[in-house]
Amino acid sequence: MTLLEDPPASPSEPEPEPESEPVKSATGWRVDIPDVTAADMRPVKWQLYLSFIGLGLGILMGLLQAFERNGQNLYDEAPVLQTYYQGLTLHGVALALVFTFCFANALMPLLTMRGLQRPMASRAIANTGLYLAWIGTGLAAWAILANKATVLFTFYAPLQATPAFYVGAVFLVVSTWMTTLNMLLTLRQWRRDQPRGTRIPLVAFACLVSMLMWVLASTGIAAEVLYWLLPWSLGWRDMVDPQFTRILFWFTGHPIVYFWLLPIYVSWYCLLPSQVGGKLYSDGLTRLAFISFLVLLPVGVHHQFTDPGIPLSSKTLQWLLTFGIFYPSMITAFSVFAALEQGGKKRGGKGWFGWIFKLPWHDPSVNAQLLAGLAFMLGGASGLINASYTVNLVVHNTSFIVGHFHLTVGTAVALSIMGISYWLVPYLTGKRLFAPGLAVAQAWIWWIGVMIFARGQMWGGVDGVPRRTQLRDAAYYADHPGWHWPTLMTAIGGMIMFIGGVCFFVVLFGTIFSKRVVTERQEIPITDVEHGPKESWRVLDSLGTWVTIAVVLSILVYGEVIAHYWPINSVSPGFRLW
Ligand code: HAS
């Protein structure tokens, strides 16, 4: 049987009812995955800790950026850092690549293990992925801190970084491939043990589809770095084509946002409903939503609406596909709202809105994810503004985009990760959550901060405030009329977010170093489904079919872009800022 082979058809489809067995019981702390040992949990835990290091570095840089918007340049005072752009690179790489990737490397295998009720197939692969992630992060961090990679997180040519930066990025991406390979091998083992036709448990299915989407999507950035940027940085290649490498970057660069988002969607679909006492509406609809993200991955040109060298036909096609990929998020909004409403009503909530107040807002994990979801409604709406071709001409390269992505990745994703951590860290460490009241306050502080921050960025953006620019150092921008209030709001909001971030780390360290151990069995709150797999099409489980469709569509859509662009025009030497 191949890894992605379709599940064999069978008239009956018994749901697996695996026995859960304790794995750790010295203090009474046990987890709900049979046969899993501390050695199986180690890569999960250390991927998570690396992710938190990324978060910590990122929010520290965010504080400096907030001060910059308030007219104070702290980069001259800060140790190691030399420029605003160096700090901004660290901010972007630490958050967009390290924090998110390593969180996926932790959560996705854990939930796959929970779904399939067995440890990962290969401890060696899991550990290799872990080492690659740590070494990759170390290399990239060294390059950035040495000011040899001030190229921002998009590392567009012709800006050139030292080779260590690209090698670090490659290692980080390969660590995610290792995770995916291990998950697929685990699926294969599981299939061997199941009666023919057994449906893949929903949570494991969602994790697998998300990772497969990312592996396909990351081929663009892999080709860009391995064939062009790394050899160019090593001096083995004199010139590159900046526009062509940008096309490759954005092939990966849009689906990368779904790689950040989908672990959160797994939590919103498969865990949050049970945390609030509700049920997920439909197994089939959920599978369809995840498959849509896989199939509709070639939409990166919507980041390049203003770029030359890409024909209007490609821009129009990808604009249409972008509106297509809006639907799985609408399915998500419907499904999650339905589950929340059911949970709230079971708790005595009445009427159209009464159930909202009955949700368990006092639970730090639920509270953070609800607030993250509320922010995402605005983040999603602003995504549609960006995606509208003509309106994009107004907002592109302005701070409006920064407002958009702090509502999406900066809150829907980051705040959900914090919320998930409030059950995940106790689950992995056997320690009780420290200061749950502070954890609830933390999420509110972050959320209030981002509302002010994003309002400032978006207001400024429509008035033309550029993004990725040290405003206070540019004479024309420094006292630009009309920009005072939006940039001040950005500064204040950013500082409030920083306080929310510090509170998160207080709770985190308090938990990890706590002496208060958990004594009961730790359970991942997997949700029940109202319309289960018996009511959904078997073909949805056919991972091979969906991957093939995604590959064919990507070749067709990007074939048109590349055919029009050809031949590659390598004209640019590297520009080094060191
Ligand atoms: Fe985006 C640029 C379009 C989603 C991140 N985006 C960016 C950049 C980033 C980013 C980082 O078309 C900048 C990249 C750079 O450096 O240049 N984006 C979209 C669209 C969507 C979208 C159409 N973006 C995201 C997500 C991101 C993200 C998700 C990170 C995770 N974006 C664009 C475009 C650009 C862009 C253009 C280029 C702009 C330019 O010119 O440079 C959609 O997928 C959004 C769909 C989402 C929804 C929301 C559904 C709501 C839900 C919440 C349910 C509520 C709950 C809570 C659960 C329709 C699911 C209930 C609570 C209670 C209390 C009841």
Side-chain angles (χ1 to χ4, degrees), residues 56 58 123 127 154 189 229 346 366 469 503 507 515 521 535 572:
R123 221 174 269 159
N127 284 327
T154 40
Q189 279 185 349
L229 300 190
K346 269 195 198 156
V366 171
T469 306
C503 295
V507 176
K515 295 211 165 31
R521 196 173 106 110
E535 295 175 51
S572 183

Side-chain angles (χ1 to χ4, degrees), residues 96 153-154 156 249-250 253-254 256-262 265 268 272 293 299-306 319 322-323 325-334 336-337 340-341 355-356 359 361 369-388 392-393 395-398 401-402 404-410 412-413 467-468:
F153 96 97
T154 40
Y156 291 144
F249 179 87
W250 284 115
H254 188 75
I256 208 175
V257 312
Y258 296 119
F259 184 47
W260 303 334
L261 181 71
L262 291 184
Y265 271 13
W268 290 1
L272 187 60
F293 283 106
V299 292
V301 161
H302 72 223
H303 292 258
Q304 298 185 283
F305 282 155
T306 57
W319 163 75
T322 301
F323 279 84
I325 209 163
F326 162 75
Y327 280 96
S329 284
M330 293 313 291
I331 295 176
T332 309
F334 165 76
V336 180
F337 263 101
L340 294 177
E341 182 178 349
W355 56 270
I356 296 175
L359 291 170
W361 292 92
Q369 293 185 73
L370 291 179
L371 292 176
L374 284 177
F376 193 47
M377 294 196 290
L378 298 174
S382 56
L384 289 182
I385 293 173
N386 303 342
S388 307
N392 183 273
L393 302 179
V395 296
H396 181 65
N397 269 342
T398 71
I401 307 300
V402 185
H404 161 68
F405 69 69
H406 280 81
L407 289 167
T408 51
V409 64
V413 173
R467 64 180 285 202
R468 301 177 143 179

Side-chain angles (χ1 to χ4, degrees), residues 12 32 46-47 116 198 215:
S12 64
D32 53 354
W46 285 96
Q47 290 276 10
L116 301 181
T198 306
V215 170

Side-chain angles (χ1 to χ4, degrees), residues 71-314:
Q72 285 110 15
N73 181 353
L74 298 187
Y75 297 92
D76 294 341
E77 268 73 48
V80 187
L81 293 179
Q82 295 175 31
T83 65
Y84 165 87
Y85 297 98
Q86 187 188 8
L88 191 57
T89 304
L90 188 55
H91 179 73
V93 171
L95 291 171
L97 306 185
V98 179
F99 171 50
T100 49
F101 283 23
C102 296
F103 181 75
N105 274 339
L107 188 73
M108 304 307 250
L110 178 71
L111 292 184
T112 304
M113 289 194 272
R114 172 63 183 80
L116 301 181
Q117 287 289 290
R118 57 173 62 231
M120 279 286 107
S122 164
R123 221 174 269 159
I125 296 179
N127 284 327
T128 311
L130 175 68
Y131 299 139
L132 284 172
W134 275 82
I135 297 169
T137 303
L139 286 171
W142 170 81
I144 297 169
L145 291 172
N147 201 21
K148 290 174 187 283
T150 298
V151 290
L152 306 184
F153 96 97
T154 40
F155 45 85
Y156 291 144
L159 286 180
Q160 194 180 64
T162 191
F165 176 80
Y166 300 113
V167 174
V170 168
F171 279 16
L172 265 170
V173 172
V174 176
S175 79
T176 62
W177 293 353
M178 291 282 171
T179 302
T180 312
L181 174 66
N182 213 0
M183 287 166 58
L184 287 171
L185 292 172
T186 314
L187 176 72
R188 187 170 68 170
Q189 279 185 349
W190 174 85
R191 273 189 172 149
R192 279 198 195 122
D193 292 351
Q194 300 305 310
R196 279 167 63 82
T198 306
R199 301 293 299 270
I200 306 173
L202 184 61
V203 67
F205 175 86
C207 293
L208 279 155
V209 175
S210 309
M211 295 304 282
L212 286 170
M213 183 284 300
W214 166 244
V215 170
L216 291 187
S218 56
T219 51
I221 216 171
E224 180 198 11
V225 171
L226 292 175
Y227 194 73
W228 278 279
L229 300 190
L230 182 58
W232 175 62
S233 162
L234 286 164
W236 301 346
R237 184 189 268 288
D238 295 332
M239 307 280 185
V240 292
D241 178 342
Q243 180 58 6
F244 186 70
T245 51
R246 261 169 86 93
I247 291 172
L248 290 178
F249 179 87
W250 284 115
F251 175 77
T252 303
H254 188 75
I256 208 175
V257 312
Y258 296 119
F259 184 47
W260 303 334
L261 181 71
L262 291 184
I264 305 313
Y265 271 13
V266 174
S267 172
W268 290 1
Y269 273 108
C270 300
L271 279 69
L272 187 60
S274 122
Q275 289 177 287
V276 301
K279 273 187 186 175
L280 180 61
Y281 179 68
S282 159
D283 174 280
L285 202 58
T286 308
R287 289 182 204 250
L288 187 68
F290 280 87
I291 289 168
S292 308
F293 283 106
L294 166 65
V295 168
L296 293 172
L297 69 90
V299 292
V301 161
H302 72 223
H303 292 258
Q304 298 185 283
F305 282 155
T306 57
D307 279 21
I310 300 175
L312 188 60
S313 53
S314 304

